[in-house]
């Protein structure tokens, strides 16, 4: 039986930190409100492009799996914030790692990584490809309007990557089941306004795009969507919720995670939470969480992981994964981002001032 197993993992965190206290210089908010309502303490702001972060994460994942770029059959890059729409940025990563294969981007917002994992699993199970590099990479700070306190405090920049490889085993292993869904009735509830090919290029507003959402509506739908697809993958694989060792959910709000696991009847300790230091990094959250969970010894050989996500679209996705025999890297890469000589606050200050002037009508 051909199974799709995660054999390499890597992440990239840009160095500049934007703390909750920093945000109080930009808007009427407080560390106490952000921590208690979201679980977030700080987030990273990238000084480089999404594809640069993606490349660093990919190089770490390759080294972890003991592979090089030439070994990869396909690259799927999930991002809602690619540095270029044409060409896709999977191509940029491909050039950097020296791969000779198919490469494309997908946009399923925060569910993008799990959508990519589902696509990679189908490729591997069909025998079409043996080694797929999946990356979730986001520079969400690009979309943030720093005058909107309900959205601006939530998002951060990062990238995470995994290698999914074909393994032959008599018992199912790796990705046991996956599910993807989209609820178009909610597509207006979470969107980047004013950015895309239908914008009027002659309008003075043409560059005034920003991310906006209906937070309460998303909150409710996130729990329902992730809960339904989690149940679906458990049923597909014939695995009971008691057999799940770790839940690796999308990191949008710690209260969404707490409510999700409580509704599923699972103990809160079974959920992996790393939102405090990263915020919501959309498609990067789950590969980043896998890396952090492995570093912290929260994943053991043979563990059953349930991962689920929710995002603009409104997309949702889940995967049930039987982890392989290895939880330590086979090798290490020295790939890193170029140094950054600015703080997180300095990186966003000019855009924030411009947005404030616009909001005040100047
Ligand atoms: C956005 C979110 C954190 C808001 O939390 P909430 O508990 O629903 O808060 P509310 O929107 O009800 O706002 C409560 C109050 O806090 C205020 N508030 C909002 N953001 C604030 C901030 N950053 N600092 C201080 N106060 C803030 C509101 O203005 C409101 O004040 P009011 O009662 O005087 O009107 C929460 O709804 C959420 O996480 N939603 C989903 C996020 C999402 O869509 N993520 C992306 C998709 S994965």
């Amino acid at each position: 039986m051909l199974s799709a197993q995660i054999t390499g993992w890597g992440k990239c965190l840009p160095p500049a930190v934007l703390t909750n206290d920093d945000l109080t210089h930009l808007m009427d908010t407080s560390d106490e409100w952000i921590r208690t309502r979201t679980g977030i303490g700080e987030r990273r702001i990238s000084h480089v492009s999404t594809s640069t972060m993606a490349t660093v994460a990919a190089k770490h994942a390759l080294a972890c799996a003991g592979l090089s770029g030439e070994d990869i059959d396909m690259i799927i890059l999930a991002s809602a914030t690619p540095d270029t729409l044409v060409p896709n940025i999977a191509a940029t990563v491909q050039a950097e790692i020296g791969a000779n294969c198919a490469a494309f981007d997908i946009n399923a917002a925060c569910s993008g990584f799990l959508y990519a994992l589902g696509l990679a699993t189908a490729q591997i199970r069909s025998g079409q490809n043996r080694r797929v590099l999946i990356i979730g990479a986001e520079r969400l700070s690009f979309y943030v309007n720093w005058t909107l306190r309900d959205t601006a405090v939530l998002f951060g920049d990062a990238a995470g990557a995994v290698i999914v490889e074909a393994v032959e085993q008599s018992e199912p292993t790796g990705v046991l089941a996956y599910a993807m869904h989209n609820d178009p009735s909610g597509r207006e509830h979470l969107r980047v306004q004013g950015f895309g090919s239908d914008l009027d290029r002659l309008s003075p507003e043409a560059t005034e795009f920003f991310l906006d959402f209906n937070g309460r509506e998303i909150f409710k739908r996130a729990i329902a969507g992730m809960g339904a697809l989690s149940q679906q993958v458990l049923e597909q694989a014939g695995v009971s919720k008691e057999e799940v060792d770790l839940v690796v959910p999308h990191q949008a709000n710690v209260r969404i995670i707490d409510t999700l696991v409580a509704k599923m009847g699972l103990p809160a300790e079974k959920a992996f939470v790393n939102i405090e230091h990263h915020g919501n990094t959309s498609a990067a959250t789950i590969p980043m969480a896998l890396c952090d969970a492995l570093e912290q010894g929260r994943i053991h050989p043979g563990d059953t992981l349930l991962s689920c996500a929710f995002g603009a679209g409104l997309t949702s996705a889940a995967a049930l994964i039987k982890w392989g025999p290895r939880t330590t890297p086979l090798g290490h890469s020295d790939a890193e981002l170029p140094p950054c000589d600015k703080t997180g606050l300095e990186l966003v200050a000019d855009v924030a001032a411009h947005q404030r002037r616009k909001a005040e009508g100047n």
Side-chain angles (χ1 to χ4, degrees), residues 346-361:
E346 284 166 352
L347 283 173
V348 305
D350 290 347
V351 171
H354 168 76
Q355 290 168 335
R356 199 164 45 246
R357 282 194 299 275
K358 278 272 175 192
E360 288 162 359

Side-chain angles (χ1 to χ4, degrees), residues 49-54 75-85 87-90 93 104-116 134-143 156-160 192 195 281-285 287 312:
S49 63
T50 306
S51 65
T52 307
M53 290 188 283
I75 302 171
I76 311 176
L77 195 150
S79 182
T81 53
D83 26 324
T84 54
L85 286 170
N88 67 56
I89 64 166
V93 176
F104 59 99
D105 295 356
I106 60 167
N107 175 3
C110 304
S111 309
F113 176 80
L114 290 181
Y115 265 58
I134 307 174
I135 309 163
E138 303 281 11
R139 192 181 188 187
L140 288 163
S141 58
F142 175 72
Y143 285 149
D157 301 336
V192 174
F195 189 74
T281 58
S282 191
T285 61

Side-chain angles (χ1 to χ4, degrees), residues 28 35 51 71 76 137 152 191 204 218 236 275 288-289 312 327 334:
D28 180 16
R35 278 184 193 275
S51 65
D71 299 316
I76 311 176
R191 56 200 296 238
I218 303 289
Q236 270 176 39
I275 194 172
M288 290 268 304
T327 54
D334 57 6

Side-chain angles (χ1 to χ4, degrees), residues 165-180:
E165 282 196 73
V167 292
E168 289 270 9
Q169 271 186 358
S170 49
E171 291 293 307
T173 185
V175 181
L176 302 178
Y178 62 88
M180 313 173 201

Side-chain angles (χ1 to χ4, degrees), residues 199-235:
L199 69 78
D200 177 359
R201 295 173 68 181
L202 301 179
S203 156
E205 304 300 318
T207 56
E208 299 306 317
F209 54 87
F210 61 91
L211 192 151
D212 200 12
F213 63 40
N214 177 345
R216 283 190 191 176
E217 190 62 35
I218 303 289
F219 196 101
K220 280 188 291 187
R221 290 182 186 232
I223 293 161
M226 289 196 289
L229 289 206
S230 295
Q231 192 56 39
Q232 196 175 315
V233 292
L234 287 169
E235 281 167 19

